[in-house]
Amino acid sequence: MKFAIQWLRSAVFTMQMYLMMLLMGILFAPWAAVSRKGARMACKSYARWVLWTATWMVGIRSEVRGEVPQGEVIVAAKHQSFLDILIIFNALPSARFIMKRELMWTPVIGVYAKRLGCVPVNRGKRGAAITKMVRDVAAENREPGQLVIYPQGTRVAPGAQKPYKIGTAVLYEGLNQPCVPVATNVGVFWPRTGIYRKPGLAVVEFLEPIQPGVERADFMTRLEHEVERRSDALMAAAGFEGPHELSQQH
């Protein structure tokens, strides 16, 4: 019975979350059309709405740990579900994301992603696309901010293994900026697929920056070690016992 009630609450939460995405997208559209500030305010407002409703509708509280970067940096984050996107975007002052090209054509998300300066990447040609993006950033004098990339290229369920892609190192070398690793445990409470949401404390933690100049192989080793080690610790503290735990929630 308890599981059924929580599942029902999760379903209602999910429905209102997508409905509010549409309503806010329409409400902020005139401002967003003429101002990147308007687009950013729309996305911040939406992120805060979802984080707030998650606390009382499904019992998921969120917390940001570590020093949140303020200047021009690369943010290389563990990606487990839509929740970590919302927490990271809400925490950073001026974030834009590297994202799948297909998402740029979706209603609301695609429109606002373009206005924020998010960078579409062709997953089939990821290395070449990121190399081109580095050249574009250097040439276009983009608005300063934090460039968020997911080194594993997709959402990864807690306990699952997926390699770290070289694209993050290409960015790191090409932009010559610090890279801030980010760990999380959000997938324990908000899975990458499915409706069920588990109550608890979802954490996103900004780790010690990796300063420019580290050799590529060493950079990739350090990035993966720090993100995985800290994410494992956060998940263990949240009571995660293994992949079977999430399978029981579907």
Side-chain angles (χ1 to χ4, degrees):
M1 178 62 72
K2 184 177 180 181
F3 176 88
I5 292 174
Q6 184 65 20
W7 193 96
L8 180 60
R9 293 174 65 184
S10 299
V12 173
F13 167 75
T14 301
M15 287 189 290
Q16 68 84 29
M17 180 183 79
Y18 287 113
L19 176 61
M20 189 57 69
M21 178 186 292
L22 177 61
L23 293 177
M24 284 193 174
I26 295 171
L27 177 64
F28 280 92
W31 187 13
V34 297
S35 169
R36 179 167 290 181
K37 181 179 179 181
R40 190 170 303 283
M41 182 59 69
C43 296
K44 290 270 190 181
S45 298
Y46 177 71
R48 290 165 183 164
W49 171 267
V50 175
L51 296 179
W52 176 65
T53 55
T55 60
W56 59 270
M57 292 189 75
V58 292
I60 298 178
R61 296 168 292 122
S62 59
E63 180 177 302
V64 175
R65 297 177 184 174
E67 184 175 349
V68 178
Q70 302 296 309
E72 288 193 272
V73 298
I74 300 163
V75 175
K78 184 76 172 175
H79 187 22
Q80 294 183 336
S81 74
F82 186 45
L83 180 56
D84 56 66
I85 296 177
L86 297 174
I87 297 174
I88 289 172
F89 184 82
N90 188 51
L92 293 172
S94 185
R96 65 184 190 274
F97 291 78
I98 293 180
M99 57 194 299
K100 292 185 297 184
R101 184 176 61 179
E102 295 83 354
L103 289 175
M104 302 298 278
W105 301 104
T106 58
V108 185
I109 290 178
V111 172
Y112 279 89
K114 291 175 185 176
R115 292 296 297 135
L116 291 174
C118 293
V119 181
V121 172
N122 186 338
R123 296 178 105 184
K125 300 179 180 178
R126 190 176 179 86
I130 291 180
T131 300
K132 180 180 182 302
M133 188 276 300
V134 172
R135 293 198 303 266
D136 291 345
V137 169
E140 292 179 8
N141 189 28
R142 288 178 179 266
E143 176 184 317
Q146 302 78 42
L147 183 61
V148 183
I149 184 171
Y150 294 107
Q152 292 170 293
T154 188
R155 294 168 297 175
V156 180
Q161 302 294 319
K162 192 169 182 65
Y164 278 56
K165 299 179 181 294
I166 200 65
T168 307
V170 175
L171 277 177
Y172 170 75
E173 294 170 351
L175 298 180
N176 195 36
Q177 294 176 356
C179 177
V180 179
V182 179
T184 191
N185 68 356
V186 302
V188 174
F189 311 104
W190 184 320
R192 59 189 289 271
T193 60
I195 292 176
Y196 186 80
R197 305 288 182 256
K198 177 182 175 181
L201 179 62
V203 177
V204 162
E205 183 171 353
F206 293 90
L207 307 177
E208 189 71 23
I210 303 174
Q211 297 300 326
V214 178
E215 292 294 328
R216 179 177 292 193
D218 292 339
F219 168 80
M220 291 299 297
T221 299
R222 178 175 169 184
L223 175 65
E224 180 171 357
H225 172 74
E226 293 188 4
V227 171
E228 293 299 312
R229 175 187 61 82
R230 190 58 193 149
S231 293
D232 286 347
L234 291 173
M235 289 187 290
F240 179 68
E241 297 178 354
H244 68 280
E245 178 177 313
L246 290 184
S247 67
Q248 294 174 353
Q249 298 175 3
H250 297 281

